[in-house]
Amino acid sequence: MSELEIKQIPVLNDNYVYLAHCPETKQTAVVDPAVVGPVLDALKEAGWTLTHILNTHHHGDHTGGNLELKAETGCTIVGPRADRDRIPGIDIEVGDGDSYQLGNATATVFDVPGHTRGHIAFWFKGADALFCGDTLFVMGCGRLFEGTPAQMVNSLSKFDDLPGETRVYCAHEYTQSNGRFALTVEPQNDALVNLMKDVDAKRAKGIPTVPSTLAQERATNPFLRPSSADLQATVGLVGADIVDVFAEVRRLKDSF
Ligand code: ZN
Ligand code: FE
């Protein structure tokens, strides 16, 4: 059995909130609680008691439920040290390379600035789970509101050594529009073409496309593939620095 049981809660337009539960200690975290009601409902349905909030970054659609959930349950709020002033109710600050224990499961924390300057990701190795907030999406990445392309390339590179089977629990269902864009920059990528057929079929039935895996992202996500020769040719930057290629792909996506 995996070290964590994970439940996915779709909220708002396209957000995913996650419950992560250690079956041995019964500790339970909610990752990026945008809202309160659906989180309490999911906890009740699972029979779990909230002990932690894990925040990846300060945006309201990731922290909106913090204070009310803490008041309701007395849970501990864990968030980015680099952004402690913007995380409502933060109790424990974590940053790059830190470990954080949720029951018997250990998370490694990565600083992944780019979308926001204080964004972090939680990697639970023993559960093959990466909670990456708005840094990496299925076939996409977060917009660069507070960071540079070089920062985001460096942030994404922190996932390079993680196992391919790692499940990518991102915070939004942006997959279909990301994939449509990805096809414009790497139309010859068979893995991408095939994945989009699957994604379109799933979305037509309202089925989540999240989580994906890091192996899938490496094969299909243009923001992880700035060194792809086909992609470089499509954007007119053959042999260019990968940060410049990334920046151009991000620029094109911003106006897609
Ligand atoms: Zn965000
Ligand atoms: Fe978000």
Side-chain angles (χ1 to χ4, degrees), residues 123-160:
W123 173 45
F124 287 93
K125 183 181 181 187
D128 280 329
L130 177 67
F131 295 101
C132 52
D134 290 356
T135 293
L136 178 65
F137 295 124
V138 181
M139 292 183 276
C141 78
R143 275 180 191 256
L144 302 182
F145 289 121
E146 300 179 357
T148 64
Q151 270 180 323
M152 192 59 139
V153 167
N154 185 54
S155 293
L156 292 170
S157 76
K158 295 182 181 185
F159 306 148
D160 283 353

Side-chain angles (χ1 to χ4, degrees), residues 15 57 59 61-62 115 133-134 137 171-172 174:
N15 278 77
H57 66 296
H59 284 157
D61 63 316
H62 299 256
H115 176 67
D134 290 356
F137 295 124
H172 291 274
Y174 290 159

Side-chain angles (χ1 to χ4, degrees), residues 23-217:
E24 285 144 17
T25 65
K26 313 296 181 199
Q27 291 205 358
T28 304
V30 61
V31 182
D32 283 351
V35 295
V36 174
V39 173
L40 293 176
D41 290 347
L43 286 162
K44 195 172 176 190
E45 193 185 311
W48 297 346
T49 302
L50 192 68
T51 56
H52 294 77
I53 291 172
L54 306 182
N55 289 134
T56 63
H57 66 296
H58 76 284
H59 284 157
D61 63 316
H62 299 256
T63 60
N66 273 24
L67 295 180
E68 206 177 324
L69 285 168
K70 187 174 173 177
E72 187 90 10
T73 65
C75 66
T76 298
I77 301 180
V78 183
R81 180 174 300 123
D83 237 342
R84 61 184 174 199
D85 296 336
R86 296 195 289 180
I87 302 292
I90 190 167
D91 297 299
I92 294 179
E93 301 163 11
V94 292
D96 209 36
D98 287 349
S99 292
Y100 191 77
Q101 202 71 26
L102 176 69
N104 291 337
T106 305
T108 301
V109 176
F110 299 107
D111 280 343
V112 286
H115 176 67
T116 67
R117 63 174 183 262
H119 203 301
I120 58 173
F122 296 89
W123 173 45
F124 287 93
K125 183 181 181 187
D128 280 329
L130 177 67
F131 295 101
C132 52
D134 290 356
T135 293
L136 178 65
F137 295 124
V138 181
M139 292 183 276
C141 78
R143 275 180 191 256
L144 302 182
F145 289 121
E146 300 179 357
T148 64
Q151 270 180 323
M152 192 59 139
V153 167
N154 185 54
S155 293
L156 292 170
S157 76
K158 295 182 181 185
F159 306 148
D160 283 353
D161 294 333
L162 274 46
E165 62 268 26
T166 305
R167 288 168 295 170
V168 177
Y169 289 99
C170 58
H172 291 274
E173 177 66 57
Y174 290 159
T175 306
Q176 209 166 23
S177 65
N178 285 344
R180 286 192 187 120
F181 169 75
L183 282 169
T184 68
V185 290
E186 218 181 8
Q188 321 82 334
N189 181 337
D190 289 340
L192 177 58
V193 171
N194 290 330
L195 175 59
M196 267 310 277
K197 288 180 193 154
D198 184 49
V199 162
D200 287 339
K202 278 190 172 140
R203 293 314 293 155
K205 294 182 199 157
I207 298 171
T209 63
V210 177
S212 67
T213 63
L214 279 176
Q216 179 183 304
E217 295 313 312

